[in-house]
Amino acid sequence: MKRFIPLLTLAGLACLGWIRPAAAECSQLTDDQLAELIAEGEVAFKNYQVQLNFAGGVIEIDPDWQNGRLLTTASVSNAGRNGINVAGCFNSVGTINLQFVAPPAVGATIDGITYYATNIAGIGFRLAYVTPAGTFFDLPRSLTFRQDTNPFWARWATGSQFEIQLVKIGDLQVGSGTVAFSAPLQVGTADDGRIVTTINANNVTIRVLPSCTVDSSTIDVDFDTFGPEDFPNGTEGPTRPVAFNVVCSGPTPPQSITATLGAIADTVDPTLIQNSQGSATNLAIRLREPSSNIVLAPNDPNSQLVHAPGGAMQNRFQLDSTVMRVGSAAPTPGTIQATATINLTFM
């Protein structure tokens, strides 16, 4: 009869006829032990394969992010009736030694955590065994298994997981690239020197976004004094230019620059900016790009201006702002005043 003790990573057993290894406390499971465990409904492996797969797609990185910023993670949860059995142990104690196959250089230590360098400068990784309680044991390390009952199984506890984190650790010097990991990344050996756990991670593609600014953070539009004669077609009044340059830096140019508008929308025509701070009535303001004839409607995510710089690090937006008559009643004299924000998104 097997007797399991609910500890973190191991449990006791009594196994008749199990010959104790001469010099090793924990040993790779034999074929007989593996068959015995599986017959009892346990999950067991002679060499447990852990494949850490990052989600598909490109990881986009803002170069202005602080070092230590988590970029993405991949993990594998360990599940089984009593965990993942990987070794059989004697002498009440044993170890599984998890080490890199091709040891990488230390990339940086941030907030007490060591991150290892990847083939992409400025990007590091952290590999860990995470207990069911959420405690991180950074790898590489030798994990000790203890049990008063002899012999016992060494196992990765149900609810634990292996996790790899990709982290920004320094200045990014390439526009895009693939973070590649050696295969296998790490192996865990028992006291007998045999491999009982193998850890691999798939490659992941990154792209460094440009760092962009505008040459004019505030633009004041002055419509001056106007009257009914300034509305030649009865609807469109005075027009003033709204122009600014987007200037980018970094290892890669923007693929696209998208502009949207944030403002109080007019209650009669929601595609226009309300004269919310002025005293004139039945007048609103239109923001439009003449070259495309696209009107930026306030607070509408589907109302966009999308520019493709085509590899350039600078792009110019040339818009115009026009006073518009709204509603059926005649406008009343007063002032025009409103505030709007042009939001820019870089890809």
Side-chain angles (χ1 to χ4, degrees):
M1 173 183 290
K2 299 290 187 297
R3 182 168 66 89
F4 293 98
I5 300 174
L7 299 181
L8 179 64
T9 56
L10 50 89
L13 68 91
C15 183
L16 298 177
W18 189 15
I19 300 174
R20 172 180 171 176
E25 286 76 20
C26 282
S27 303
Q28 184 187 64
L29 296 174
T30 66
D31 291 338
D32 289 342
Q33 291 163 0
L34 184 66
E36 182 181 358
L37 283 163
I38 292 174
E40 292 177 352
E42 296 290 338
V43 178
F45 298 92
K46 296 186 74 170
N47 184 2
Y48 177 42
Q49 300 291 316
V50 178
Q51 180 62 51
L52 298 166
N53 288 323
F54 293 101
V58 177
I59 306 300
E60 295 185 327
I61 304 170
D62 186 330
D64 295 328
W65 281 345
Q66 291 185 345
N67 292 343
R69 171 73 177 254
L70 179 65
L71 304 177
T72 187
T73 64
S75 62
V76 168
S77 295
N78 301 312
R81 190 177 75 173
N82 290 289
I84 307 293
N85 297 273
V86 293
C89 307
F90 277 96
N91 291 341
S92 301
V93 65
T95 59
I96 293 178
N97 189 26
L98 287 155
Q99 296 293 328
F100 289 112
V101 175
V106 172
T109 300
I110 303 172
D111 296 331
I113 299 173
T114 297
Y115 297 100
Y116 292 93
T118 68
N119 59 305
I120 303 294
I123 296 179
F125 74 97
R126 176 191 190 187
L127 186 64
Y129 173 70
V130 187
T131 71
T135 302
F136 276 71
F137 288 95
D138 286 299
L139 306 178
R141 73 166 56 218
S142 182
L143 294 172
T144 300
F145 298 80
R146 298 181 186 278
Q147 179 88 6
D148 290 337
T149 303
N150 282 299
F152 64 89
W153 304 125
R155 56 171 58 119
W156 306 123
T158 295
S160 66
Q161 65 181 25
F162 290 96
E163 180 175 311
I164 188 169
Q165 300 177 348
L166 213 60
V167 175
K168 181 179 181 291
I169 62 171
D171 293 336
L172 300 167
Q173 301 172 10
V174 298
S176 62
T178 298
V179 179
F181 296 95
S182 61
L185 180 59
Q186 277 198 353
V187 294
T189 55
D191 295 309
D192 64 352
R194 295 187 177 183
I195 297 173
V196 297
T197 298
T198 298
I199 301 174
N200 282 294
N202 71 327
N203 299 341
V204 59
T205 301
I206 60 98
R207 177 174 177 266
V208 181
L209 297 175
S211 179
C212 300
T213 60
V214 292
D215 60 356
S216 300
S217 60
T218 302
I219 299 175
D220 294 321
V221 179
D222 186 358
F223 293 107
D224 206 349
T225 301
F226 59 88
E229 66 277 7
D230 295 301
F231 290 78
N233 64 2
T235 302
E236 297 185 6
T239 296
R240 300 290 185 268
V242 177
F244 57 91
N245 293 310
V246 177
V247 181
C248 300
S249 61
T252 180
Q255 294 179 348
S256 66
I257 304 172
T258 302
T260 57
L261 181 64
I264 298 175
D266 186 73
T267 54
V268 177
D269 185 346
T271 66
L272 305 179
I273 302 167
Q274 186 184 73
N275 184 29
S276 58
Q277 299 166 328
S279 58
T281 61
N282 299 313
L283 295 174
I285 306 161
R286 182 186 69 191
L287 191 63
R288 180 179 69 102
E289 183 179 55
S291 61
S292 64
N293 202 32
I294 293 176
V295 174
L296 279 180
N299 311 319
D300 182 355
N302 295 316
S303 178
Q304 302 176 342
L305 290 176
V306 181
H307 285 196
M313 299 299 283
Q314 183 168 316
N315 188 260
R316 184 166 179 81
F317 281 78
Q318 292 182 298
L319 316 179
D320 60 28
S321 181
T322 303
V323 177
M324 303 289 293
R325 179 175 172 175
V326 292
S328 57
T332 61
T335 58
I336 298 291
Q337 187 171 354
T339 302
T341 302
I342 299 174
N343 301 300
L344 300 173
T345 303
F346 311 100
M347 299 294 290

